[in-house]
Amino acid sequence: MKRIVTIQDISCVGKCSLTVALPIISAMGIEASIIPTAVLSAHTIFEGHTFKDLTNEITPISEHWKKEGFDFDAIYTGYLGSKKQIDIVSKFFDDFKTDGNFIFVDPAMADGGVLYPHFDDRFVEKMKRLCSRADVISPNLTEAALLTGREYKKEYDRNYVESIVYSLVENGSKNVILTGIALDEKYGIVSYDGKEFDYFTHEKVDRVFYGTGDIFSSVCVGALTQGKPLKQAVKTAGDFTLASIKASVRNPDTRYYGVDFESVLHTLYEK
Ligand code: PXL
C-alpha cells in the first residue's frame, strides 16, 4: 500500500488541515502518516482559538522514524505554525526525500488578499524557500502573489497568471497549481507541469467556504500518489472539491466553517 506523510496542524473543530487530509487520503486507499504541527481548538477564523505549538515534537518523531526505517511515497505539507517549523520541515525533506518519492507543499498562509493571523513577511520568505524544494506546490492566488512579490489583483489576465507561475517555477518548484483563478468569466485552476499549462474550469459558486484548499490539496496529492499525471490529478481534486461545495450549498444545515466533503467521500473510494 502506498503511504503519504502529511505535516500540518490539527484544528479540533473546523474541517481543515489534518481532519480533512486523513479521511481523504484513507478513502483513496492510501495509508496516511501524520505529524501534527499544532493543536488548535478550532481553526484561526474562530476568535479565541487555542494554539498549542508542537514544533518541539517534530524532530523527535522524525528521528524515531529514521531509526525504524520508515519511508513515504509522498511528503505533503500544509498549514505550518511558525518560521521555526518551516526550518524543521526543510530538514525533514533532507531526511525523507528519496529518488522514488515527491514533495507536495501547500503554502497555506493567506486568502482573499490577506495573510492569516500569526503570519508576517518573514514567514512568507521562509515559505518561499520551502516551495523552492517542492516537486508540486498548490498556492491560491493570494499566496502566489505573496510568494512572488507581485501585487494581488482581483482582476487580471492570462499574462498575469502565467508570469506568476513562471516566477514560482524559477524559484524552484517543478510543478505549479494555482487555485482560485477567475479568468474570462470562468473559474478554476491553472496548472503547469514544467512543459505546458492546463486550465481546469468550473462553474462559479457564489459563497465563501473554508477548508476547500486543504480538500483540494489532499485529493490532488492522493491522485498523484496513485500515479495520475498532474492534469488528471487536478481534475480529480477540482471535481471533488466542487462536489463538496455543492453538497454544502444543498444542505440547509451546513456549517459555515467547512464544507460537507463527507457526503461525497465515497466517490473517492469508488475511483
Ligand atoms: O485551511 C487552512 C487552515 C489550516 N489550518 C488552520 C487555519 C487555516 C485557515 O484559516 O486557520 C489552523
Side-chain angles (χ1 to χ4, degrees):
M1 183 176 274
K2 301 260 190 189
R3 177 163 56 211
I4 295 172
V5 57
T6 180
I7 309 176
Q8 44 188 326
D9 72 279
I10 186 150
S11 290
C12 300
V13 171
K15 299 210 248 186
C16 67
S17 37
L18 283 182
T19 59
V20 305
L22 270 169
I24 286 173
I25 292 168
S26 301
M28 295 180 87
I30 299 166
E31 180 182 338
S33 302
I34 61 167
I35 300 187
T37 54
V39 181
L40 291 84
S41 54
H43 60 58
T44 57
I45 65 150
F46 288 90
E47 220 171 283
H49 60 270
T50 67
F51 188 104
K52 174 72 182 169
D53 186 283
L54 297 177
T55 304
N56 292 339
E57 293 302 309
I58 303 175
T59 303
I61 290 172
S62 57
E63 289 298 323
H64 178 224
W65 289 359
K66 267 199 286 183
K67 275 202 200 104
E68 290 292 334
F70 294 154
D71 55 16
F72 306 97
D73 298 287
I75 303 169
Y76 160 36
T77 71
Y79 183 100
L80 300 173
S82 66
K83 294 181 270 283
K84 189 171 167 205
Q85 254 179 32
I86 298 180
D87 291 334
I88 293 175
V89 167
S90 189
K91 171 77 172 53
F92 185 91
F93 291 173
D94 295 337
D95 291 337
F96 288 92
K97 173 81 182 85
T98 64
D99 290 341
N101 66 12
F102 67 94
I103 294 172
F104 188 110
V105 173
D106 180 349
M109 61 181 175
D111 206 0
V114 287
L115 277 171
Y116 293 149
H118 309 300
F119 299 147
D120 58 17
D121 291 350
R122 284 181 44 231
F123 184 92
V124 174
E125 210 33 60
K126 291 255 181 206
M127 187 57 91
K128 184 174 172 182
R129 249 181 274 159
L130 199 69
C131 286
S132 76
R133 305 197 55 191
D135 296 286
V136 189
I137 60 169
S138 60
N140 60 36
L141 193 59
T142 304
E143 290 155 351
L146 285 164
L147 289 168
T148 55
R150 303 298 170 90
E151 180 195 353
Y152 169 73
K153 292 186 183 176
K154 286 203 167 137
E155 283 184 26
Y156 44 82
D157 57 14
R158 267 183 192 234
N159 273 345
Y160 172 77
V161 172
E162 295 191 359
S163 74
I164 285 185
V165 170
Y166 285 131
S167 293
L168 291 166
V169 171
E170 216 167 276
N171 182 51
S173 313
K174 295 187 191 71
N175 299 268
V176 173
I177 303 167
L178 268 194
T179 62
I181 302 297
L183 265 181
D184 310 328
E185 315 256 313
K186 293 202 183 102
Y187 296 86
I189 297 157
V190 177
S191 61
Y192 181 72
D193 63 3
K195 288 192 207 88
E196 50 187 47
F197 281 92
D198 181 65
Y199 285 76
F200 168 84
T201 54
H202 59 75
E203 69 210 71
K204 184 177 185 192
V205 184
D206 247 338
R207 268 175 69 181
V208 174
F209 286 104
Y210 295 93
T212 50
D214 299 347
I215 289 174
F216 175 85
S217 290
S218 299
V219 179
C220 195
V221 72
L224 290 167
T225 303
Q226 287 169 338
K228 287 189 177 160
L230 188 72
K231 179 176 166 177
Q232 224 179 314
V234 167
K235 178 167 168 32
T236 304
D239 284 343
F240 181 79
T241 308
L242 195 70
S244 303
I245 292 171
K246 283 184 173 171
S248 311
V249 172
R250 276 197 304 273
N251 176 6
D253 297 324
T254 196
R255 306 290 187 175
Y256 72 95
Y257 53 71
V259 288
D260 294 354
F261 71 96
E262 299 89 338
S263 325
V264 290
L265 197 58
H266 63 281
T267 61
L268 289 178
Y269 189 68
E270 285 156 6
K271 271 182 198 158

PDB file of all heavy atoms in Angstrom, residues 9 11 16-17 40 43-45 79 108 116 211 214, ligand 1:
ATOM      1  N   ASP A   9      -1.372  21.200  10.864  1.00  0.00           N
ATOM      2  CA  ASP A   9      -1.982  21.297  12.201  1.00  0.00           C
ATOM      3  C   ASP A   9      -3.199  20.395  12.323  1.00  0.00           C
ATOM      4  O   ASP A   9      -3.746  19.919  11.320  1.00  0.00           O
ATOM      5  CB  ASP A   9      -2.428  22.743  12.465  1.00  0.00           C
ATOM      6  CG  ASP A   9      -3.646  23.092  11.645  1.00  0.00           C
ATOM      7  OD1 ASP A   9      -3.467  23.419  10.447  1.00  0.00           O
ATOM      8  OD2 ASP A   9      -4.782  22.981  12.143  1.00  0.00           O
ATOM      9  N   SER A  11      -6.820  21.098  13.726  1.00  0.00           N
ATOM     10  CA  SER A  11      -7.808  22.025  14.271  1.00  0.00           C
ATOM     11  C   SER A  11      -8.982  21.165  14.715  1.00  0.00           C
ATOM     12  O   SER A  11      -9.627  20.502  13.891  1.00  0.00           O
ATOM     13  CB  SER A  11      -8.254  23.026  13.199  1.00  0.00           C
ATOM     14  OG  SER A  11      -7.195  23.902  12.904  1.00  0.00           O
ATOM     15  N   CYS A  16     -10.537  21.267   8.371  1.00  0.00           N
ATOM     16  CA  CYS A  16      -9.423  21.726   7.541  1.00  0.00           C
ATOM     17  C   CYS A  16      -8.194  20.909   7.939  1.00  0.00           C
ATOM     18  O   CYS A  16      -8.285  20.046   8.823  1.00  0.00           O
ATOM     19  CB  CYS A  16      -9.160  23.224   7.728  1.00  0.00           C
ATOM     20  SG  CYS A  16      -8.545  23.650   9.353  1.00  0.00           S
ATOM     21  N   SER A  17      -7.091  21.168   7.285  1.00  0.00           N
ATOM     22  CA  SER A  17      -5.814  20.504   7.561  1.00  0.00           C
ATOM     23  C   SER A  17      -5.980  18.996   7.863  1.00  0.00           C
ATOM     24  O   SER A  17      -6.563  18.288   7.066  1.00  0.00           O
ATOM     25  CB  SER A  17      -5.024  21.258   8.629  1.00  0.00           C
ATOM     26  OG  SER A  17      -5.853  21.794   9.615  1.00  0.00           O
ATOM     27  N   LEU A  40      -5.107  23.140  17.651  1.00  0.00           N
ATOM     28  CA  LEU A  40      -5.934  24.340  17.872  1.00  0.00           C
ATOM     29  C   LEU A  40      -7.337  23.881  18.270  1.00  0.00           C
ATOM     30  O   LEU A  40      -7.816  22.851  17.773  1.00  0.00           O
ATOM     31  CB  LEU A  40      -6.053  25.169  16.592  1.00  0.00           C
ATOM     32  CG  LEU A  40      -4.810  25.879  16.075  1.00  0.00           C
ATOM     33  CD1 LEU A  40      -3.939  24.949  15.229  1.00  0.00           C
ATOM     34  CD2 LEU A  40      -5.212  27.073  15.216  1.00  0.00           C
ATOM     35  N   HIS A  43     -10.097  26.257  13.849  1.00  0.00           N
ATOM     36  CA  HIS A  43      -9.139  26.974  13.003  1.00  0.00           C
ATOM     37  C   HIS A  43      -9.203  28.482  13.243  1.00  0.00           C
ATOM     38  O   HIS A  43     -10.076  28.970  13.961  1.00  0.00           O
ATOM     39  CB  HIS A  43      -9.214  26.554  11.537  1.00  0.00           C
ATOM     40  CG  HIS A  43     -10.512  26.753  10.833  1.00  0.00           C
ATOM     41  ND1 HIS A  43     -11.109  27.965  10.712  1.00  0.00           N
ATOM     42  CD2 HIS A  43     -11.302  25.870  10.183  1.00  0.00           C
ATOM     43  CE1 HIS A  43     -12.213  27.823  10.009  1.00  0.00           C
ATOM     44  NE2 HIS A  43     -12.357  26.559   9.683  1.00  0.00           N
ATOM     45  N   THR A  44      -8.240  29.193  12.645  1.00  0.00           N
ATOM     46  CA  THR A  44      -7.961  30.552  13.133  1.00  0.00           C
ATOM     47  C   THR A  44      -9.014  31.599  12.749  1.00  0.00           C
ATOM     48  O   THR A  44      -8.897  32.743  13.163  1.00  0.00           O
ATOM     49  CB  THR A  44      -6.565  31.031  12.684  1.00  0.00           C
ATOM     50  OG1 THR A  44      -6.495  30.950  11.258  1.00  0.00           O
ATOM     51  CG2 THR A  44      -5.472  30.188  13.289  1.00  0.00           C
ATOM     52  N   ILE A  45     -10.028  31.214  11.979  1.00  0.00           N
ATOM     53  CA  ILE A  45     -11.096  32.206  11.753  1.00  0.00           C
ATOM     54  C   ILE A  45     -11.975  32.343  12.997  1.00  0.00           C
ATOM     55  O   ILE A  45     -12.736  33.286  13.131  1.00  0.00           O
ATOM     56  CB  ILE A  45     -11.975  31.893  10.515  1.00  0.00           C
ATOM     57  CG1 ILE A  45     -12.761  30.608  10.707  1.00  0.00           C
ATOM     58  CG2 ILE A  45     -11.184  31.883   9.249  1.00  0.00           C
ATOM     59  CD1 ILE A  45     -14.077  30.645   9.939  1.00  0.00           C
ATOM     60  N   TYR A  79      -0.647  23.721   6.417  1.00  0.00           N
ATOM     61  CA  TYR A  79      -0.500  24.833   7.364  1.00  0.00           C
ATOM     62  C   TYR A  79       0.621  24.533   8.362  1.00  0.00           C
ATOM     63  O   TYR A  79       0.584  23.534   9.078  1.00  0.00           O
ATOM     64  CB  TYR A  79      -1.824  25.010   8.102  1.00  0.00           C
ATOM     65  CG  TYR A  79      -1.886  26.160   9.082  1.00  0.00           C
ATOM     66  CD1 TYR A  79      -2.491  27.367   8.737  1.00  0.00           C
ATOM     67  CD2 TYR A  79      -1.379  26.022  10.381  1.00  0.00           C
ATOM     68  CE1 TYR A  79      -2.563  28.405   9.640  1.00  0.00           C
ATOM     69  CE2 TYR A  79      -1.449  27.067  11.290  1.00  0.00           C
ATOM     70  CZ  TYR A  79      -2.044  28.250  10.914  1.00  0.00           C
ATOM     71  OH  TYR A  79      -2.124  29.279  11.814  1.00  0.00           O
ATOM     72  N   ALA A 108      -0.178  27.039   2.755  1.00  0.00           N
ATOM     73  CA  ALA A 108      -1.414  27.570   3.358  1.00  0.00           C
ATOM     74  C   ALA A 108      -1.059  28.698   4.331  1.00  0.00           C
ATOM     75  O   ALA A 108      -0.551  28.441   5.422  1.00  0.00           O
ATOM     76  CB  ALA A 108      -2.137  26.443   4.085  1.00  0.00           C
ATOM     77  N   TYR A 116      -3.127  34.985   6.883  1.00  0.00           N
ATOM     78  CA  TYR A 116      -3.857  34.508   8.059  1.00  0.00           C
ATOM     79  C   TYR A 116      -3.210  35.100   9.321  1.00  0.00           C
ATOM     80  O   TYR A 116      -2.030  35.500   9.300  1.00  0.00           O
ATOM     81  CB  TYR A 116      -3.762  32.975   8.156  1.00  0.00           C
ATOM     82  CG  TYR A 116      -4.476  32.208   7.056  1.00  0.00           C
ATOM     83  CD1 TYR A 116      -3.983  30.968   6.627  1.00  0.00           C
ATOM     84  CD2 TYR A 116      -5.645  32.679   6.455  1.00  0.00           C
ATOM     85  CE1 TYR A 116      -4.618  30.239   5.633  1.00  0.00           C
ATOM     86  CE2 TYR A 116      -6.279  31.944   5.460  1.00  0.00           C
ATOM     87  CZ  TYR A 116      -5.773  30.733   5.054  1.00  0.00           C
ATOM     88  OH  TYR A 116      -6.393  30.009   4.083  1.00  0.00           O
ATOM     89  N   GLY A 211     -11.568  25.831   4.177  1.00  0.00           N
ATOM     90  CA  GLY A 211     -11.023  24.467   4.132  1.00  0.00           C
ATOM     91  C   GLY A 211     -11.011  23.836   2.749  1.00  0.00           C
ATOM     92  O   GLY A 211     -10.547  22.707   2.585  1.00  0.00           O
ATOM     93  N   ASP A 214      -7.534  22.867   1.450  1.00  0.00           N
ATOM     94  CA  ASP A 214      -6.977  21.663   2.068  1.00  0.00           C
ATOM     95  C   ASP A 214      -7.596  20.403   1.456  1.00  0.00           C
ATOM     96  O   ASP A 214      -6.920  19.383   1.287  1.00  0.00           O
ATOM     97  CB  ASP A 214      -7.228  21.669   3.586  1.00  0.00           C
ATOM     98  CG  ASP A 214      -6.565  22.862   4.258  1.00  0.00           C
ATOM     99  OD1 ASP A 214      -5.725  23.523   3.620  1.00  0.00           O
ATOM    100  OD2 ASP A 214      -6.890  23.138   5.428  1.00  0.00           O
TER     101      ASP A 214
HETATM  102  O1  PXL B   1      -7.404  25.806   5.711  1.00  0.00           O
HETATM  103  C1  PXL B   1      -6.214  26.401   6.039  1.00  0.00           C
HETATM  104  C2  PXL B   1      -6.025  26.453   7.511  1.00  0.00           C
HETATM  105  C3  PXL B   1      -5.398  25.387   8.137  1.00  0.00           C
HETATM  106  N1  PXL B   1      -5.156  25.403   9.465  1.00  0.00           N
HETATM  107  C4  PXL B   1      -5.527  26.450  10.218  1.00  0.00           C
HETATM  108  C5  PXL B   1      -6.175  27.539   9.645  1.00  0.00           C
HETATM  109  C6  PXL B   1      -6.439  27.538   8.259  1.00  0.00           C
HETATM  110  C7  PXL B   1      -7.120  28.672   7.648  1.00  0.00           C
HETATM  111  O2  PXL B   1      -7.557  29.603   8.247  1.00  0.00           O
HETATM  112  O3  PXL B   1      -6.554  28.549  10.419  1.00  0.00           O
HETATM  113  C8  PXL B   1      -5.231  26.436  11.668  1.00  0.00           C
END
